[in-house]
Amino acid sequence: MERSGLITELQSIVGERHVLTADEDLLAYAYDGTWYQSRPLAVVLPETTAQVAAIHRVATRERIALTPRAMGSGLSGGSVPLAGSLVLGIMRMNRILEIDEVNAAAVVQPGVVNADLQRAVEARGLFYPPDPSSLKQSAIGGNVAENAGGARCLKYGVTGDYVAALEVVLPAGEIIRTGGKMVKNVTGYNLRALFTGAEGTLGTITEITLRLLPKPRFLKTASAAFERIEDAAATVVAIGSAGLLPTSIELMDRTTMRCVEELQPAGLPLLSEAMLLFAVDGNHEPSLDGDLAEIERIARAHGATAVQVAANAAESEALWNARRAISPALARQRPHKLGEDISVPRSEIVHMIRAVNEIAERNRLTIPIFGHAGDGNLHPNILCDRANPEEMARVKTAAREIFEAAVALGGTLSGEHGIGLLKKQFMELDVGSDALALMRRIKDAVDPLGIMNPGKIFPEPGGPDAFCL
Amino acid sequence: MERSGLITELQSIVGERHVLTADEDLLAYAYDGTWYQSRPLAVVLPETTAQVAAIHRVATRERIALTPRAMGSGLSGGSVPLAGSLVLGIMRMNRILEIDEVNAAAVVQPGVVNADLQRAVEARGLFYPPDPSSLKQSAIGGNVAENAGGARCLKYGVTGDYVAALEVVLPAGEIIRTGGKMVKNVTGYNLRALFTGAEGTLGTITEITLRLLPKPRFLKTASAAFERIEDAAATVVAIGSAGLLPTSIELMDRTTMRCVEELQPAGLPLLSEAMLLFAVDGNHEPSLDGDLAEIERIARAHGATAVQVAANAAESEALWNARRAISPALARQRPHKLGEDISVPRSEIVHMIRAVNEIAERNRLTIPIFGHAGDGNLHPNILCDRANPEEMARVKTAAREIFEAAVALGGTLSGEHGIGLLKKQFMELDVGSDALALMRRIKDAVDPLGIMNPGKIFPEPGGPDAFCL
């Protein structure tokens, strides 16, 4: 089929103005939150599940690749359309369909922005825990496709832990529903978990039912500064061993703190090597105060030089704003940054930090470390300039060494960003050849024509590596 | 290959005395916790993952079916070997390999009994929440294969929520490891979730890494009696709406209470139509007392005639022993019982109870109802005599009507027992033909020869129904 005939057919499905073909539009949909760019064949913006299914049927008939995309704020290249792919942009499907207070569930379209959902459910006394740092931009559909995390995962788990049901359009256009509002469901294979985190490679998610919790009545924040980053890591382990389960334990190293202070001064302890940020939440204020007192005692016993409990919501919010400013703050330092997302058992955090610092030194690179230390999910960010091939060669070496170190420590490539384009050539290193072959057999069974988001997750032997695109 | 040659080859893998072929042995492995029985070709009892893999390779080469089996206490027929199947019994693989206090994880072989694991981790101040009523008999391998639940799911979720990593022998004998001790892991497809609850149809699980929690310092129990069962159901909904998240809310109807009292007198409120049993747990005793006071207020506002808080651990344990006595107590009433496991959104509990009572009356059957009311997972048990074909025809009708009612209310066939043989002919009714076809494509991709636990989960058109075996 000619491209013009295809465009006409897509227009007949979604309406003329919802198929974008102008150069500047294609450019706007060529990106995500990484440094990749790749212009799509066209962009099609459906408004209903029936339209999504019709687009899938056309794509199946014509063997055209589809890349589902929500807000495009992902950090692994998952929504970047590889050449020849149609972008299936779902941001017109952005309604909260239901907030069911009795069953503590929300039914949403995939284009609902995370923060908007949080606000809406909190107004009803409910709580949606997953809070990626991108929460003011990123949409639930993308959060589900990448199985996004956030700062509250230590206590509350990741997006997938809240996915109660999905409506999915399969590659050839069949519409399935899997799961429901019930709490327990073990009927057949767990398709919800298979599609969550599949990064659009198995189908397009068109509706999501999310489990909600009662909103905790109180949230308290504290911070602690450490002269040695190893002491911060040891504090994390000791808090877990003491039987405490804080909502969050976030880490910033000195480089990270300096970058944040440059962008938006927050009084971070720049003379310290690291800082931990703690949150605890619950319904009973005295027990939270007790938990914070125990955290303070443990931190001081492990060498914390200053521990401060935020006196009120404003002080607490200032600390969390500093935390959320990290990514933009680091992005200002050098032309580019490669943000990694390795996750290790908490016993290995100290070894992982040491490994990253050695890798930075050996490769003469600046690699600030921050992240969700409480759950072992760290974000070493390699600062660089893609125009400098000699530096990029060192970046490539450092990235591989970071992944190898994480896997050697019993960890994994990605705790919350997904694999996408950025980490696909390291998949076998992590999961092994037999598990990777099994994933590929599942992919082929669900998407035999290979039209769903090609080029993601699975390495291509001899293909371009993640740094070339 | 002749059967004798096969037996010799299996003996060479696991040792002569670990291959069972005597009639009485085959009979001992023909059962699970349902009424099915089907003798296997032989029983093979490996001790290592390498032996399991060798057995898989023989089965693949000879196209012999394998039925993985742990304690055989399942309630859906999942581990009953259909004719011609080898039982792959994993109960010799019964060691707790590691309790990792720093990372709050336990690494176990599949034959470890649930209660033994609970005791072992609690001795270290840790906590493994999933607690199927069979916990003193059932093994973790079976719990994972069926994604078992229990009374604490309301607050803590099901077995699958604690599976951090699996070692699995794939049908053809490849050994894969998926997951690890890290808290967050979104690398590739979620194979952990796919194998959990797959009922042995995709591979044999040979090692399990479980996530643990800090053990809550306090557990408190209360009970409430209701003149009308509808008031008990309304109380469950009101507790959720009040933002409370108890550990457990269990329901017994009058018939259930009477049967328990006959077996082991516990002072249950036999004049009431229903009773709710509540547990709350946590580290801060005053807040638990506060929660129980709020639960009592809500229960009384919804018509509870008596609310009692257990004064001590002994009183509490007596109530939970009564709860765990339900299954044996019901089993004594009539020659057989068909235990169902439907799960509905909590808003629908009252409608589900009403539907079951109408179905019982219409079909002239006794169907006591009990279960995990807090999470909507109910166990209507149809009491019957399989020697009476006329009664069994009514049992079949009633079972179908119960499933239809659950699905019509937005619920599902199984909340924690799995599909196995018992519910396979209702799969399409629940998940729909397209999702069922997708599950079958996944099954075929993972197990192309169809040797893993055949006859389970997937309905066979024209095949025998679940009541004939």
Side-chain angles (χ1 to χ4, degrees):
Chain A
M1 195 177 205
E2 294 282 318
R3 181 165 184 268
S4 64
L6 174 71
I7 301 301
T8 306
E9 185 167 5
L10 294 173
Q11 286 173 335
S12 76
I13 294 168
V14 297
E16 199 170 323
R17 65 200 183 93
H18 300 303
V19 181
L20 311 181
T21 56
D23 257 8
E24 61 273 22
D25 288 326
L26 300 187
L27 192 62
Y29 285 86
Y31 291 90
D32 75 345
T34 61
W35 59 36
Y36 299 108
Q37 55 166 301
S38 172
R39 291 186 201 202
L41 179 68
V43 176
V44 55
L45 304 169
E47 200 185 8
T48 67
T49 300
Q51 290 176 0
V52 172
I55 294 163
H56 273 245
R57 286 193 297 270
V58 172
T60 295
R61 192 190 68 214
E62 300 295 328
R63 309 285 196 271
I64 292 169
L66 291 173
T67 296
R69 178 191 170 98
M71 278 299 270
S73 59
L75 290 172
S76 61
S79 66
V80 173
L82 294 196
S85 190
L86 267 180
V87 163
L88 202 166
I90 52 71
M91 285 308 296
R92 291 175 66 214
M93 300 175 73
N94 63 355
R95 283 181 303 141
I96 297 176
L97 299 173
E98 185 189 7
I99 297 174
D100 177 343
E101 297 179 45
V102 173
N103 291 305
V107 183
V108 304
Q109 291 187 311
V112 171
V113 169
N114 181 304
D116 294 340
L117 176 67
Q118 303 232 2
R119 251 192 310 275
V121 304
E122 289 182 21
R124 313 275 192 100
L126 293 164
F127 182 47
Y128 175 64
D131 62 338
S133 295
S134 61
L135 63 92
K136 289 177 187 165
Q137 295 87 46
S138 66
I140 299 294
N143 291 174
V144 173
E146 299 294 338
N147 201 357
R152 297 193 288 228
C153 294
L154 174 57
K155 178 170 177 180
Y156 289 109
V158 294
T159 301
D161 295 315
Y162 296 87
V163 174
L166 292 176
E167 180 186 76
V168 181
V169 177
L170 298 183
E174 310 97 307
I175 300 164
I176 65 165
R177 299 190 69 93
T178 173
K181 287 182 185 170
M182 69 296 268
V183 173
K184 289 158 82 177
N185 179 353
V186 300
T187 299
Y189 298 153
N190 190 343
L191 298 180
R192 300 182 298 293
L194 183 63
F195 284 104
T196 301
E199 309 193 30
T201 64
L202 299 178
T204 301
I205 295 166
T206 47
E207 191 185 292
I208 302 141
T209 302
L210 295 165
R211 193 166 288 134
L212 305 173
L213 294 177
K215 179 160 172 54
R217 289 172 206 157
F218 304 99
L219 173 79
K220 302 208 164 208
T221 304
S223 64
F226 295 85
E227 275 185 33
R228 291 167 6 104
I229 196 167
E230 283 85 353
D231 295 338
T235 299
V236 171
V237 170
I239 287 170
S241 300
L244 295 166
L245 191 60
T247 313
S248 313
I249 308 180
E250 297 289 306
L251 171 83
M252 294 188 215
D253 73 356
R254 179 148 48 193
T255 311
T256 304
M257 290 192 280
R258 281 187 182 155
C259 296
V260 170
E261 282 292 318
E262 273 178 37
L263 177 66
Q264 85 186 29
L268 301 180
L270 296 185
L271 297 177
S272 305
E273 209 172 88
M275 159 182 173
L276 290 177
L277 187 56
F278 305 97
V280 293
D281 67 0
N283 286 341
H284 196 260
E285 206 169 3
S287 68
L288 299 187
D289 292 334
D291 286 352
L292 281 184
E294 204 164 338
I295 288 170
E296 173 164 0
R297 188 190 57 70
I298 292 168
R300 288 194 190 280
H302 286 82
T305 51
V307 183
Q308 291 191 301
V309 176
N312 51 46
E315 276 188 38
S316 168
E317 201 44 37
L319 284 166
W320 288 105
N321 279 336
R323 167 63 185 86
R324 281 190 284 263
I326 293 175
S327 252
L330 296 182
R332 286 160 37 105
Q333 298 294 311
R334 297 285 314 277
H336 301 102
K337 69 183 174 76
L338 180 62
E340 293 305 352
D341 175 36
I342 45 94
S343 173
V344 295
R346 70 180 170 222
S347 59
E348 310 305 322
I349 296 169
V350 62
H351 306 294
M352 192 66 223
I353 290 171
R354 208 172 285 151
V356 170
N357 287 336
E358 284 167 12
I359 290 164
E361 199 171 332
R362 194 162 57 241
N363 293 287
R364 291 172 289 121
L365 293 164
T366 302
I367 312 183
I369 302 176
F370 65 97
H372 315 298
D375 55 37
N377 181 203
L378 299 175
H379 298 312
N381 269 244
I382 311 178
L383 307 185
C384 58
D385 180 356
R386 294 186 80 203
N388 179 344
E390 185 278 327
E391 185 182 52
M392 289 310 290
R394 286 182 280 122
V395 170
K396 261 171 96 157
T397 303
R400 169 170 283 279
E401 289 174 354
I402 289 172
F403 292 135
E404 286 171 346
V407 171
L409 293 169
T412 191
L413 302 179
S414 178
E416 57 180 18
H417 294 172
I419 299 300
L421 293 168
L422 199 58
K423 285 159 257 181
K424 63 178 183 170
Q425 73 266 48
F426 303 105
M427 277 295 285
E428 187 172 333
L429 166 74
D430 185 328
V431 306
S433 57
D434 286 327
L436 184 59
L438 181 67
M439 289 181 193
R440 212 188 284 271
R441 276 150 63 191
I442 293 168
K443 160 75 177 173
D444 292 342
V446 180
D447 178 24
L449 301 178
I451 62 167
M452 293 309 303
N453 208 8
K456 311 301 166 63
I457 299 182
F458 296 98
E460 288 140 57
D465 76 22
F467 298 89
C468 297
L469 204 69
Chain B
M1 194 176 207
E2 293 282 317
R3 180 164 185 268
S4 64
L6 174 70
I7 301 300
T8 307
E9 185 167 4
L10 293 173
Q11 286 172 337
S12 76
I13 294 170
V14 297
E16 200 170 321
R17 64 199 185 93
H18 299 303
V19 180
L20 311 180
T21 56
D23 258 8
E24 60 273 26
D25 288 326
L26 300 187
L27 193 62
Y29 286 85
Y31 291 90
D32 74 344
T34 60
W35 58 37
Y36 298 109
Q37 55 166 300
S38 171
R39 290 187 202 203
L41 178 66
V43 177
V44 55
L45 304 169
E47 200 185 8
T48 66
T49 300
Q51 290 176 0
V52 173
I55 295 163
H56 273 246
R57 286 192 297 269
V58 172
T60 295
R61 192 192 67 216
E62 301 293 329
R63 308 287 196 270
I64 291 168
L66 291 173
T67 297
R69 177 188 169 99
M71 279 298 270
S73 59
L75 292 172
S76 60
S79 66
V80 173
L82 294 197
S85 191
L86 268 180
V87 163
L88 202 166
I90 51 73
M91 284 309 295
R92 291 175 67 216
M93 300 176 72
N94 63 356
R95 284 182 303 141
I96 297 176
L97 300 173
E98 185 189 8
I99 296 175
D100 178 342
E101 297 180 46
V102 173
N103 292 306
V107 184
V108 304
Q109 291 187 311
V112 171
V113 170
N114 181 304
D116 293 340
L117 176 67
Q118 303 231 3
R119 253 192 309 275
V121 304
E122 289 181 20
R124 313 274 194 101
L126 293 165
F127 182 50
Y128 176 64
D131 62 338
S133 294
S134 62
L135 62 93
K136 288 175 188 165
Q137 296 88 44
S138 65
I140 299 293
N143 292 174
V144 173
E146 299 293 340
N147 202 358
R152 298 193 287 228
C153 294
L154 174 58
K155 179 170 176 180
Y156 289 110
V158 295
T159 301
D161 295 315
Y162 296 87
V163 175
L166 293 174
E167 180 186 75
V168 181
V169 177
L170 298 184
E174 310 97 308
I175 301 165
I176 65 166
R177 298 190 68 92
T178 173
K181 287 182 183 170
M182 69 297 267
V183 174
K184 288 157 81 176
N185 180 353
V186 301
T187 298
Y189 299 153
N190 190 343
L191 298 180
R192 301 182 298 293
L194 183 63
F195 285 103
T196 302
E199 309 193 31
T201 64
L202 300 177
T204 301
I205 294 166
T206 48
E207 191 186 294
I208 302 140
T209 302
L210 295 166
R211 195 165 288 134
L212 305 173
L213 294 177
K215 178 159 170 56
R217 289 172 205 156
F218 304 98
L219 174 79
K220 303 210 163 207
T221 304
S223 65
F226 294 86
E227 277 186 33
R228 292 166 6 104
I229 195 167
E230 283 86 352
D231 294 339
T235 298
V236 171
V237 170
I239 287 170
S241 299
L244 294 165
L245 190 61
T247 312
S248 313
I249 308 180
E250 296 291 305
L251 171 84
M252 294 187 214
D253 74 356
R254 179 148 47 194
T255 312
T256 304
M257 290 192 280
R258 281 186 181 154
C259 296
V260 170
E261 282 292 319
E262 274 179 35
L263 176 68
Q264 85 186 28
L268 301 179
L270 297 184
L271 297 178
S272 305
E273 208 171 88
M275 159 181 170
L276 290 177
L277 187 56
F278 305 97
V280 293
D281 68 0
N283 287 340
H284 197 260
E285 206 170 2
S287 69
L288 299 186
D289 293 333
D291 286 353
L292 281 183
E294 204 163 337
I295 288 170
E296 173 165 358
R297 188 190 57 71
I298 292 169
R300 289 195 190 280
H302 287 82
T305 51
V307 182
Q308 289 190 303
V309 176
N312 51 46
E315 275 187 37
S316 168
E317 202 44 37
L319 284 166
W320 288 104
N321 280 336
R323 167 64 184 85
R324 282 190 284 264
I326 293 175
S327 251
L330 296 182
R332 286 158 39 104
Q333 299 293 312
R334 297 285 313 279
H336 301 102
K337 70 183 173 74
L338 180 63
E340 294 304 351
D341 174 36
I342 46 92
S343 173
V344 296
R346 70 179 170 224
S347 58
E348 310 305 321
I349 296 170
V350 62
H351 306 293
M352 191 67 225
I353 290 171
R354 207 171 285 151
V356 171
N357 287 337
E358 284 167 12
I359 290 165
E361 197 171 336
R362 193 163 57 241
N363 293 288
R364 291 171 288 120
L365 293 164
T366 303
I367 313 182
I369 303 177
F370 64 98
H372 316 298
D375 55 38
N377 181 203
L378 299 175
H379 298 313
N381 269 245
I382 309 177
L383 307 185
C384 57
D385 180 356
R386 294 187 79 201
N388 179 344
E390 184 278 324
E391 184 182 54
M392 289 310 290
R394 285 182 279 122
V395 170
K396 262 172 94 158
T397 303
R400 169 171 284 278
E401 288 175 353
I402 288 172
F403 292 134
E404 286 171 345
V407 171
L409 292 169
T412 189
L413 302 179
S414 178
E416 58 182 16
H417 294 173
I419 299 302
L421 293 166
L422 199 59
K423 285 159 257 182
K424 63 178 181 171
Q425 72 267 49
F426 303 105
M427 277 294 285
E428 186 173 332
L429 166 73
D430 185 329
V431 306
S433 57
D434 286 325
L436 184 59
L438 181 67
M439 290 182 193
R440 212 188 282 269
R441 278 150 61 190
I442 292 168
K443 160 76 175 171
D444 292 342
V446 180
D447 178 24
L449 301 178
I451 62 168
M452 293 309 303
N453 207 10
K456 312 300 166 63
I457 298 181
F458 297 98
E460 288 140 58
D465 76 23
F467 297 89
C468 296
L469 204 67

